[in-house]
Amino acid sequence: MEDNITKLIMDIGNSHIKLLVGEVSTDFTRIKVLQYVEVPTKGMKKSVVESSDELSYSIQGALRSLENPEHRELEKVTIGVGGKYIQSKTRKLFIEFEEREVQESDLEKLYELAEECLESGELVLKREMYNIKVNNAGIVKNPIGLVANRLEANVHLIYVDREDIEKLTDAIVEAGLEVENIYLNAYASLKSTLIDEESTKMGVALVDIGEGATDIIISKNHKIIYAKSANLGGIHFMSDIMYLFHVPEEEAREVYSSYIKGEMTEQYISTSGKRFVKEDVEKIIDARIGDIATFILNTIQESGFTGYLGQGMVLTGGVASLDRLVGTINGQTGGIVRRKKPLSIRGLEKPEYKMATVLGLFLEAIEDEMELQQKRSYEEGKEQQQDDLEELLGSHEAEKKSSGEAMVKIKKWISYFI
């Protein structure tokens, strides 16, 4: 593309780093994935950074794997955060003022009041406002422009403690990159999978089951009303195989990978020569899927939004490629369950479940860039209007001055004849 904005996106998982380079035209009408790569992750365990040095080395390896030398020189990166770090709060708040039209700044005031409950050092990743009311009347979708003297709403904040992600950001900086944006993994996955659906209006729980974490996000009327994460994912399948079959990590990963790809035969023999019975592997997989299903069910129940899920649950993430996942979770939760891959983007026409987060992070980065450009254009427009006004006023004053000088000359000329 000519005249484009290039973005570097990174999804750091327990077993792999997914790196995406994408671009968007300056008019934001065309997007394209230029390159997507995956490299093994070192220095991560159960979604926690164990070694910043090893993780930094892995990130550098991911950058070196990019084919285009220009892409390796990109300095800013967008990342996502999930797992045990995520926290959330919902507060019911109101403000009162002299009767007038509700403004954007009034909504911002409610957000500011909600954020006052956070400790210093806590970073807001996502904020939503719903159940908005003016003058104690019914719920309104958009209060801006309505005449009122009271504004009330539920404000939902999803946030993380900066200290909790300090090792992660330090490793990124050590690798020579600057963190441009930090987003919520679960919301990124929702954006890439359900962006073209009405399910986020009807009510849906998006469940992203990755290698190290299961992220759940509940959406209703296109608003995020609940989010929770647990360190529960594909890595636990592998640890179970390691423990129960008494094999090293690499062999357990081989067995798990073979099974999840649908390549395992009834009698599977690993590269080390050890024999695995498929039925025994499935029992281990089913037990861990049961744990994930229990977490999902408990999360939805504790959220208080059980009756809001008109569109049930949508599963994505790397573990979603397991065919038996839907049936097992459906049997335990009793809800509508389906799988969904992220949307297709030019340059990555056949995305996989595991790409949901990294593609969503790309879409969010583009969206923020567009809002920034619009704000910049608005400010520039205001400056231009001010300049035009000052020029107009200046021209008017010049005309007045010129007219005044002409009158003085006329009066002086007439005085010669009096």
Side-chain angles (χ1 to χ4, degrees):
M1 292 181 189
E2 297 180 359
D3 298 324
N4 56 66
I5 300 164
T6 305
K7 292 290 181 181
L8 177 65
I9 313 295
M10 187 159 52
D11 176 19
I12 301 175
N14 284 272
S15 61
H16 288 87
I17 293 174
K18 302 176 185 70
L19 199 63
L20 182 149
V21 180
E23 66 179 10
V24 58
S25 58
T26 51
D27 61 0
F28 298 97
T29 60
R30 295 162 295 159
I31 63 173
K32 181 181 180 181
V33 173
L34 301 176
Q35 193 173 356
Y36 172 83
V37 298
E38 284 186 33
V39 300
T41 306
K42 291 186 178 180
M44 292 284 290
K45 187 174 183 180
K46 295 182 179 180
S47 300
V48 175
V49 180
E50 283 199 326
S51 170
S52 293
D53 290 339
E54 287 190 357
L55 179 57
S56 177
Y57 184 77
S58 297
I59 294 170
Q60 289 171 339
L63 292 171
R64 286 193 297 270
S65 69
L66 294 173
E67 296 173 359
N68 190 327
E70 290 183 4
H71 297 163
R72 298 175 199 155
E73 301 302 318
L74 292 171
E75 298 178 348
K76 295 182 179 180
V77 64
T78 290
I79 64 170
V81 178
K84 63 182 280 254
Y85 301 124
I86 300 304
Q87 303 176 67
S88 65
K89 289 181 180 177
T90 301
R91 299 186 67 192
K92 186 175 183 178
L93 300 163
F94 72 89
I95 56 172
E96 294 179 326
F97 40 83
E98 291 292 329
E99 189 166 78
R100 57 170 170 77
E101 289 188 356
V102 177
Q103 303 170 4
E104 185 73 40
S105 59
D106 296 319
L107 300 181
E108 190 61 37
K109 178 63 176 176
L110 285 175
Y111 280 127
E112 290 173 1
L113 286 173
E115 291 178 21
E116 286 178 2
C117 72
L118 302 180
E119 301 291 334
S120 61
E122 290 178 332
L123 172 69
V124 175
L125 299 178
K126 188 68 181 172
R127 60 184 195 174
E128 291 280 16
M129 189 179 296
Y130 55 93
N131 291 344
I132 304 171
K133 297 180 180 180
V134 293
N135 294 347
N136 293 314
I139 295 173
V140 298
K141 185 176 180 180
N142 183 5
I144 296 176
L146 300 179
V147 176
N149 56 21
R150 177 186 167 97
L151 180 64
E152 176 186 321
N154 290 344
V155 180
H156 182 56
L157 302 177
I158 303 173
Y159 59 97
V160 63
D161 193 318
R162 289 181 189 272
E163 288 186 3
D164 287 342
I165 60 171
E166 198 170 59
K167 279 190 175 181
L168 179 64
T169 54
D170 284 350
I172 292 169
V173 171
E174 190 179 334
L177 295 170
E178 176 187 343
V179 178
E180 183 176 22
N181 303 300
I182 301 177
Y183 298 128
L184 177 66
N185 278 342
Y187 183 71
S189 296
L190 181 142
K191 183 177 284 288
S192 70
T193 54
L194 301 179
I195 192 171
D196 58 344
E197 288 196 12
E198 277 295 301
S199 54
T200 55
K201 176 177 174 60
M202 302 296 292
V204 66
L206 188 283
V207 185
D208 185 335
I209 311 172
E211 285 295 310
T214 295
D215 297 321
I216 301 176
I217 193 163
I218 299 176
S219 176
K220 174 75 172 176
N221 292 324
H222 305 303
K223 300 285 187 180
I224 305 307
I225 56 177
Y226 196 78
K228 189 174 181 179
S229 299
N231 288 340
L232 198 62
I235 195 170
H236 297 89
F237 293 105
M238 287 180 278
S239 62
D240 291 346
I241 292 171
M242 285 174 60
Y243 177 75
L244 294 171
F245 287 111
H246 308 289
V247 294
E249 181 179 348
E250 286 305 312
E251 192 166 2
R253 186 178 296 280
E254 176 193 339
V255 173
Y256 170 68
S257 177
S258 175
Y259 182 82
I260 203 169
K261 291 178 181 178
E263 299 171 352
M264 178 172 281
T265 57
E266 294 302 321
Q267 296 286 331
Y268 178 79
I269 300 175
S270 69
T271 52
S272 71
K274 187 175 179 66
R275 185 183 300 274
F276 294 85
V277 178
K278 184 177 181 181
E279 185 180 352
D280 293 337
V281 175
E282 285 180 341
K283 288 178 182 178
I284 295 173
I285 297 287
D286 286 346
R288 187 58 75 175
I289 290 175
D291 291 342
I292 294 173
T294 298
F295 167 66
I296 295 169
L297 183 61
N298 290 342
T299 297
I300 292 173
Q301 287 177 342
E302 74 180 34
S303 74
F305 298 117
T306 306
Y308 285 61
L309 306 182
Q311 296 297 304
M313 282 173 272
V314 174
L315 309 180
T316 194
V319 179
S321 57
L322 280 172
D323 290 334
R324 64 198 305 109
L325 188 72
V326 172
T328 304
I329 293 179
N330 185 37
Q332 189 158 334
T333 61
I336 304 169
V337 183
R338 58 192 170 102
R339 293 184 294 181
K340 197 165 192 304
K341 292 180 180 180
L343 79 167
S344 173
I345 296 177
R346 185 184 172 199
L348 196 63
E349 283 80 6
K350 294 182 179 180
E352 301 174 29
Y353 294 111
K354 63 182 178 179
M355 300 175 185
T357 296
V358 73
L359 283 169
L361 293 173
F362 177 42
L363 295 176
E364 283 206 79
I366 290 174
E367 190 175 286
D368 272 5
E369 185 70 35
M370 182 169 64
E371 289 179 1
L372 183 63
Q373 296 276 23
Q374 289 173 341
K375 184 177 180 181
R376 189 178 296 137
S377 297
Y378 175 72
E379 293 298 329
E380 289 174 355
K382 283 177 64 177
E383 287 182 12
Q384 185 61 51
Q385 287 179 347
Q386 185 64 30
D387 290 343
D388 291 345
L389 180 60
E390 289 176 359
E391 183 180 344
L392 179 62
L393 291 174
S395 175
H396 183 58
E397 288 297 323
E399 288 178 5
K400 284 172 62 180
K401 183 178 178 182
S402 175
S403 177
E405 290 175 349
M407 287 301 297
V408 169
K409 288 180 180 179
I410 291 171
K411 287 180 180 179
K412 186 176 180 182
W413 180 75
I414 291 175
S415 67
Y416 291 134
F417 302 92
I418 298 175

